[in-house]
Amino acid sequence: MDLQVIGHQWWWEIRYPKLGIVTANELHVPVSQGGERRPSFLDLRSSDVVHSFWVPRLMGKIDLVPNKINAMWIEPERPGLFLGQCGTYCGTQHAKMLLRVYADMPQDFDRWVQQQKEPAEKARSVAAGKLVFERTACINCHVIGGAGDRRFGPDLTHLMSRDTLASGALSNSPALLRAWIKAPGQFKPGVLM
């Protein structure tokens, strides 16, 4: 499987080009087991400053440098959650540029892919959220379902399927999402939102 990981101040963009999936701060990969190898090849980039992709229990650090593409691969052999973060100081919220890597059994990974491929119209809490999104400043930085071409913040298509908000700084719940939107600087001072 081929993936693109793009470091931003201060969040991770994860793209699955062949699957048409874009997400943020949570990377899902299938597990290799029983002689069936399922490596995930990562194309690593930075959109702004130097970052380091680091998931200690899966591999060492590798730098993401603006205008340069680095590559590596991971191949978890057991399912689980592997925690990582940016390993190079990249600004005021560097310590809260967290990453979650989910090594899923193949059938669980396939189920996750199907859920992520659902159009935004089928995602949870659709109509009211879409209206708010289109009528407020959210649309200036975010997209839903890849619609639109200006994006500085994460794709929000399946936001509520993620375990965390703000690149791991908060658990994902309706109450914390409201608090994050109202005052993001309260949780991540200097955040660009």
Side-chain angles (χ1 to χ4, degrees):
M1 181 169 53
D2 297 319
L3 298 108
Q4 287 182 347
V5 177
I6 304 163
H8 299 266
Q9 283 183 311
W10 293 277
W11 62 284
W12 300 99
E13 181 176 358
I14 315 293
R15 295 180 166 269
Y16 298 76
K18 292 179 182 173
L19 299 175
I21 296 171
V22 178
T23 188
N25 308 311
E26 297 182 3
L27 173 65
H28 285 259
V29 296
V31 169
S32 291
Q33 282 192 324
E36 186 174 351
R37 299 195 60 197
R38 294 175 181 250
S40 295
F41 297 94
L42 308 177
D43 165 318
L44 301 157
R45 306 164 185 232
S46 171
S47 70
D48 41 42
V49 300
V50 175
H51 299 283
S52 286
F53 186 83
W54 183 40
V55 185
R57 292 176 45 214
L58 288 180
M59 83 281 176
K61 290 192 298 185
I62 187 166
D63 287 341
L64 287 69
V65 179
N67 301 314
K68 180 175 174 27
I69 299 172
N70 278 337
M72 66 174 303
W73 58 275
I74 58 174
E75 189 175 6
E77 295 179 345
R78 63 180 171 80
L81 169 60
F82 300 89
L83 301 176
Q85 72 177 81
C86 181
T88 297
Y89 181 74
C90 57
T92 59
Q93 287 304 309
H94 159 73
K96 291 186 179 177
M97 189 172 167
L98 307 174
L99 175 70
R100 299 167 77 84
V101 178
Y102 294 90
D104 298 327
M105 293 299 291
Q107 64 274 18
D108 295 331
F109 178 76
D110 292 343
R111 198 171 14 258
W112 178 81
V113 167
Q114 287 309 107
Q115 186 258 336
Q116 293 297 306
K117 285 186 166 193
E118 286 183 7
E121 292 78 36
K122 291 186 179 179
R124 295 182 222 172
S125 57
V126 179
K130 184 176 181 190
L131 192 60
V132 170
F133 178 84
E134 291 172 343
R135 292 184 178 176
T136 61
C138 305
I139 200 165
N140 292 331
C141 298
H142 300 278
V143 297
I144 294 179
D149 52 341
R150 286 192 68 204
R151 181 176 48 210
F152 302 103
D155 184 308
L156 301 179
T157 306
H158 293 283
L159 172 66
M160 295 313 289
S161 73
R162 300 177 193 151
D163 289 335
T164 64
L165 300 168
S167 189
L170 300 168
S171 296
N172 191 357
S173 71
L176 286 173
L177 177 59
R178 277 191 293 282
W180 167 248
I181 291 169
K182 270 180 97 169
Q186 170 186 341
F187 302 101
K188 287 180 89 168
V191 70
L192 301 178
M193 182 162 149

